[in-house]
Amino acid sequence: MIVLVENDIRDNLFPFTATRHVADILVGALSLKQKWEKLTGEKISTNENDTGVHIPANIIATKQNFKEIIEKAANNILIEQTNSIKIIKYPWQIVQLNDYALREDFGILTANKKSSELPENNKIINSENIFIEDGAAISYSMLNASTGPIYISANAQIMEGCMIRGPFFMGNNSVAKMGTKIYGATSIGANCVIGGEIKNSVLFGNSNKAHDGYLGDSVLGEWCNLGAGTSNSNVKNTAGNVGYILQKDAEPIYAGNKAGLLMGDY
């Protein structure tokens, strides 16, 4: 059995670990745990007391690396970040690694499956990189997958006039209101309502950014709501490094010169 463990990584992924296990963080189209479930076809444990192969929960599993990760963990070999193994150490890296994760998850989710047809009233670019699940409703919108894959889940709705550039994922039952503008890499979890302009951001599910306003390089947990006109800053006026303080009285940790809002659940 594979056991995803948190060890000493939990505190550095605040605020999203205040209400969930590290393995339940969404990055790409799937949570970290869901990736392992899809790749192995097995039940994955997050109980550190269970026997099995213990793997740090913050590693992004892919078709290319998951067997290597299991082998290293089974032989007690330290797993470090490489070109083929990506590790989320801080919450802003959910956004920074979302492009990578979306492309990898698209391959996992679409393997041996056929996309539903899109109505002809939509404008489509690079259709082979777009997958639509049965029950999704999309009308009079533009989907551009030339910059990355687009995956629309069952019962999602994209209303008239939306413009979406991949990589992009939209979860079950989520809604993009009229005229929504999406720049990848963006992931929208299940049961969300989105609108306005969103760029390179992740919404975990059951959250709303439903009106005009800007959300960029940001992560929203579950059960969050941004009211009409809300905009966030993702670049300092000085164009300098953005620092986050993750724990009380701690020194800031710098995320680079482009980083936005990190909003925990509720």
Side-chain angles (χ1 to χ4, degrees):
M1 175 185 285
I2 291 174
V3 184
L4 300 180
V5 295
E6 296 179 308
N7 296 334
D8 58 349
I9 60 181
R10 184 177 180 85
D11 287 349
N12 282 342
L13 288 167
F14 181 84
F16 305 108
T17 48
T19 47
R20 65 174 53 76
H21 193 282
V22 169
D24 293 321
I25 287 174
L26 173 68
V27 58
L30 300 164
S31 72
L32 295 166
K33 180 181 178 182
Q34 287 172 329
K35 298 179 202 299
W36 283 105
E37 291 172 338
K38 294 282 187 183
L39 289 165
T40 64
E42 299 175 4
K43 182 179 179 181
I44 305 299
S45 172
T46 55
N47 184 348
E48 62 184 24
N49 295 318
D50 285 346
T51 57
V53 180
H54 284 214
I55 297 173
N58 60 336
I59 297 174
I60 299 176
T62 70
K63 287 192 294 184
Q64 291 74 32
N65 69 23
F66 79 100
K67 292 179 180 178
E68 176 187 355
I69 293 168
I70 293 171
E71 183 177 355
K72 285 185 174 182
N75 290 284
N76 295 315
I77 298 173
L78 179 65
I79 303 171
E80 298 181 296
Q81 180 148 305
T82 65
N83 288 335
S84 62
I85 297 176
K86 306 297 183 184
I87 301 173
I88 299 175
K89 298 179 180 179
Y90 299 107
W92 51 86
Q93 292 175 337
I94 296 168
V95 166
Q96 292 173 347
L97 293 173
N98 200 47
D99 186 296
Y100 167 82
L102 276 169
R103 295 173 193 273
E104 295 294 337
D105 289 351
F106 186 81
I108 295 172
L109 290 173
T110 60
N112 302 315
K113 294 181 180 178
K114 184 178 180 181
S115 174
S116 293
E117 294 292 330
L118 272 168
E120 293 183 357
N121 58 34
N122 294 287
K123 174 65 176 178
I124 305 301
I125 302 174
N126 202 19
S127 60
E128 64 271 18
N129 226 14
I130 298 173
F131 192 95
I132 311 297
E133 289 188 3
D134 292 343
I138 307 169
S139 59
Y140 294 98
S141 291
M142 175 178 287
L143 279 65
N144 180 0
S146 64
T147 52
I150 294 174
Y151 191 101
I152 310 298
S153 300
N155 302 315
Q157 182 182 9
I158 297 177
M159 294 182 180
E160 308 90 280
C162 293
M163 295 182 290
I164 297 172
R165 288 176 63 91
F168 177 70
F169 168 79
M170 189 175 214
N172 292 348
N173 303 308
S174 286
V175 176
K177 295 175 72 176
M178 292 189 298
T180 302
K181 294 174 285 187
I182 301 290
Y183 297 85
T186 291
S187 296
I188 306 299
N191 307 307
C192 293
V193 180
I194 58 173
E197 182 181 0
I198 301 175
K199 172 248 178 190
N200 196 37
S201 294
V202 177
L203 277 66
F204 278 13
N206 302 300
S207 287
N208 299 326
K209 190 270 175 207
H211 303 287
D212 285 342
Y214 176 70
L215 184 70
D217 299 285
S218 297
V219 184
L220 269 61
E222 291 195 82
W223 306 106
C224 299
N225 185 70
L226 300 184
T230 301
S231 293
N232 81 291
S233 175
N234 58 340
V235 178
K236 294 176 71 171
N237 289 345
T238 62
N241 282 337
V242 178
Y244 292 95
I245 297 175
L246 297 179
Q247 302 295 332
K248 185 178 179 181
D249 300 325
E251 292 297 314
I253 302 173
Y254 292 93
N257 67 352
K258 188 168 285 190
L261 172 67
L262 303 175
M263 180 179 282
D265 293 1
Y266 305 99

